[in-house]
């Protein structure tokens, strides 16, 4: 493909440069609008500059990718509600044999969960459990957090649903889920093993230090990564606050005890007055209402267990369907809607957790990249690189890998 008209090349390059700067540096001082708005701005400029027509812009949006991304995010939300990541967190410390064993478990669990439930979801949720385990064993958290981050990226490369860039590659090239998994799995296993080995060697001395103090699970404050409540005050912090004011503790504690004693005495007198014989009948301790509440709680408990089982079965069914080669986008959407129906509740709270800003980023990116392709610059660069990047030679594979590695770090991996 030859270069387009000069004005299209210049204006298209400007629009793509604005998109690239805001995608790589979302907090640019001159225009701190973020990645999503920067992506939409680049798309709008491509249309306003007449690099592409509005119809071509709409056609550039890849709906199968957006559908697959939306479906996997909804499934991840319901898996989080079903405590799957909580069980994975418990698996990290179950019968652990030390810090080195723990770092290997984190690498394994992070890689597997990222491959099937996206790397960002695994990192956000498992970070809480990694911090908790490090606190319990009185260990420095940064080696384990690095293991979580690096293994999540390595593990997510194994499947099309592991990360957004894999979605683009698999859907646009029409590579099936099974072929993608078989092709990348060996490299993922080698990369994950080497990553764990490097981390153990780097932090060998730090992980070899024996820690006698082990903090109890109840003493570790758990922080949920929620936009509304980022942290909470733990009981230990409250006690520290009480201990920090020794001048007021005696008077306030005595007053509090006196008020409790008066409440208990008054309650006892009321109970005695209610009883005709002046004593409390033991048969009146448990009322029919209490039995009804216990029965309802047991029913809710079993309903919750059955619902969790249904979530896991639907997720397994989705993965099996993907391995069978069914349409990835509609498979993920079907699984997500099945979970919505099985929940039998208003789905708004779960749907609100979907990252719609990421979906909009992809829409803007598709249009911007399509406009940049219309300028002829990418095809010209590829024609220059193609003779040196033939995949039938080791040197060609090395050149192609180096170009992709460079562009992924400079221009971000999704646009690349």
């Amino acid at each position: 493909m030859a270069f387009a008209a000069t004005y299209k090349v210049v204006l298209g390059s400007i629009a793509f440069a604005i998109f690239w700067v805001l995608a790589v540096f979302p907090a640019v001082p001159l225009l701190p609008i973020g990645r999503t708005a920067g992506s939409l701005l680049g798309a709008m400029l491509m249309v306003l500059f007449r690099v592409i027509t509005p119809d071509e812009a709409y056609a550039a949006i890849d709906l199968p990718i957006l559908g697959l991304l939306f479906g996997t995010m909804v499934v991840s939300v319901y898996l989080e509600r079903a405590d799957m990541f909580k069980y994975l967190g418990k698996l990290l410390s179950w019968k652990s044999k030390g810090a080195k064993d723990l770092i290997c478990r984190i690498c394994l669990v992070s890689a597997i969960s990222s491959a099937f439930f996206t790397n960002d979801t695994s990192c956000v949720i498992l970070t809480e459990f990694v911090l908790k385990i490090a606190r319990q064993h009185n260990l420095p958290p940064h080696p384990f957090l690095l293991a979580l981050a690096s293994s999540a990226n390595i593990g997510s490369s194994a499947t099309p649903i592991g990360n957004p860039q894999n979605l683009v590659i698999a859907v646009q090239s029409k590579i099936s889920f099974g072929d993608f998994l078989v092709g990348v799995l060996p490299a993922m296993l080698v990369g994950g093993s080497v990553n764990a080995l490097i981390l153990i060697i780097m932090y060998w001395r730090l992980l070899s230090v024996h820690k006698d103090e082990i903090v109890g699970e109840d003493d570790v404050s758990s922080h949920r990564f929620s936009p509304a409540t980022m942290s909470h005050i733990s009981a230990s912090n409250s006690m520290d606050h009480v201990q920090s004011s020794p001048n007021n503790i005696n008077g306030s504690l005595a007053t509090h005890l006196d008020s409790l004693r008066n409440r208990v005495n008054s309650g006892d007198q009321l109970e005695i007055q209610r009883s005709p014989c002046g004593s409390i009948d033991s048969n009146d301790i448990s009322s029919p209402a209490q039995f009804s509440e216990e029965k309802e709680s047991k029913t809710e408990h079993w309903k919750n267990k059955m619902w969790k089982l249904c979530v896991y079965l639907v997720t397994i069914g989705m993965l099996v369907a993907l391995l069978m080669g069914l349409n990835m986008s509609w498979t993920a959407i079907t699984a997500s809607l099945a979970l919505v129906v099985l929940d039998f509740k208003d789905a708004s709270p779960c749907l609100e957790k979907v990252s719609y800003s990421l979906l909009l980023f992809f829409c803007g990116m598709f249009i911007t990249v399509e406009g940049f392709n219309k300028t002829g610059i990418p095809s010209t660069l590829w024609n220059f690189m193609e003779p040196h990047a033939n995949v039938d030679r080791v040197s060609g594979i090395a050149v192609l890998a180096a170009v992709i590695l460079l562009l992924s770090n400079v221009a971000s991996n999704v646009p690349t």
Side-chain angles (χ1 to χ4, degrees):
M1 178 180 178
F3 282 110
T6 304
Y7 80 92
K8 285 190 176 182
V9 174
V10 174
L11 295 178
S13 299
I14 293 174
F16 184 79
I18 293 174
F19 159 75
W20 177 82
V21 170
L22 294 176
V24 179
F25 309 103
V28 176
L30 297 177
L31 198 63
I33 60 176
R35 288 187 177 92
T36 301
S39 173
L40 296 176
L41 177 61
M44 182 198 70
L45 291 176
M46 287 292 183
V47 176
L48 289 180
F49 292 160
R50 297 185 178 181
V51 180
I52 58 175
T53 65
D55 292 336
E56 290 174 335
Y58 286 124
I61 299 175
D62 202 323
L63 292 179
I65 294 177
L66 297 180
L68 180 55
L69 195 60
F70 172 81
T72 53
M73 285 192 287
V74 173
V75 172
S76 297
V77 170
Y78 279 96
L79 284 171
E80 182 184 358
R81 278 189 53 196
D83 295 332
M84 190 209 71
F85 293 96
K86 178 181 177 181
Y87 300 143
L88 289 177
K90 290 182 177 180
L91 183 63
L92 293 177
S93 60
W94 181 67
K95 293 184 179 181
S96 177
K97 296 181 180 179
K100 301 181 187 67
D101 174 55
L102 182 59
I103 207 167
C104 290
R105 291 190 186 198
I106 291 174
C107 289
L108 179 63
V109 172
S110 174
I112 294 176
S113 61
S114 299
F116 294 106
F117 311 113
T118 71
N119 52 5
D120 53 348
T121 300
S122 299
C123 287
V124 168
I125 299 176
L126 291 179
T127 297
E128 174 190 359
F129 299 103
V130 171
L131 290 172
K132 186 174 181 179
I133 291 169
R135 172 80 182 277
Q136 285 177 352
H137 294 273
N138 198 18
L139 293 168
H142 60 274
F144 306 102
L145 293 175
L146 289 176
L148 175 62
S150 55
S151 299
N153 284 284
I154 294 172
S156 66
S157 65
T159 63
I161 61 175
N163 54 53
Q165 54 267 27
N166 284 9
L167 295 177
V168 177
I169 295 170
V171 173
Q172 290 189 351
S173 61
K174 301 188 184 305
I175 302 176
S176 67
F177 188 94
D179 291 340
F180 198 105
L181 177 63
V182 172
V184 184
L185 184 61
M188 188 273 279
L189 294 175
V190 173
S193 302
V194 172
N195 176 60
L197 182 61
I198 292 175
L199 288 170
I200 291 175
I201 294 174
M202 285 177 58
Y203 297 102
W204 181 269
R205 291 185 179 180
L206 195 62
L207 299 175
S208 300
V209 176
H210 180 68
K211 301 289 184 179
D212 293 326
E213 180 184 356
I214 296 181
V215 182
E217 184 175 354
D218 296 334
D219 296 332
V220 180
S221 59
S222 176
H223 298 272
R224 301 297 299 176
F225 291 87
S226 171
T229 55
M230 289 301 295
S231 62
H232 62 275
I233 300 176
S234 63
S236 60
N237 293 334
S238 301
M239 289 303 296
D240 292 339
H241 177 72
V242 171
Q243 292 174 0
S244 64
S245 56
N247 296 328
N248 299 327
I249 187 170
N250 294 328
S252 60
L253 184 59
T255 304
H256 185 61
L257 290 175
D258 289 339
S259 63
L260 287 177
R261 191 179 295 108
N262 293 332
R263 290 179 186 177
V264 172
N265 292 335
S266 61
D268 292 341
Q269 291 175 0
L270 287 174
E271 290 297 329
I272 293 174
Q273 291 173 0
R274 289 176 186 174
S275 177
C277 299
S279 61
I280 300 176
D281 188 1
S282 61
N283 295 329
D284 295 335
I285 294 177
S286 299
S287 63
Q290 290 176 332
F291 282 118
S292 176
E293 290 177 359
E294 291 179 0
K295 187 176 180 180
E296 289 179 0
S297 64
K298 289 182 179 179
T299 304
E300 289 297 324
H301 175 73
W302 283 106
K303 282 183 179 179
N304 189 37
K305 281 187 172 294
M306 291 301 298
W307 179 80
K308 288 182 180 180
L309 179 61
C310 290
V311 172
Y312 300 147
L313 290 177
V314 169
T315 305
I316 293 173
M318 180 190 75
L319 296 177
V320 171
L322 292 174
L323 288 171
M324 291 175 60
L326 299 181
N327 185 279
M328 288 189 287
S329 178
W330 282 106
T331 298
I333 293 175
T334 302
S336 63
L337 292 179
L339 293 176
V340 169
V341 173
L342 287 172
D343 193 26
F344 208 69
K345 294 178 183 177
D346 183 9
S348 298
C350 290
L351 295 179
E352 287 173 357
K353 294 183 178 181
V354 173
S355 179
Y356 295 102
S357 61
L358 180 61
L359 299 178
L360 287 174
F361 171 81
F362 267 77
C363 291
M365 183 197 70
F366 288 140
I367 297 173
T368 306
V369 172
E370 178 65 19
F372 190 57
N373 288 334
K374 291 288 185 180
T375 63
I377 295 177
S379 59
T380 302
L381 290 175
W382 174 246
N383 290 335
F384 174 75
M385 288 297 304
E386 187 176 10
H388 309 285
N390 290 329
V391 295
D392 57 349
R393 297 196 307 268
V394 175
S395 59
I397 295 175
V399 171
L400 182 61
V403 170
I404 295 173
L405 182 64
L406 177 65
L407 290 176
S408 297
N409 282 277
V410 175
S412 184
N413 50 10
V414 177
T416 298

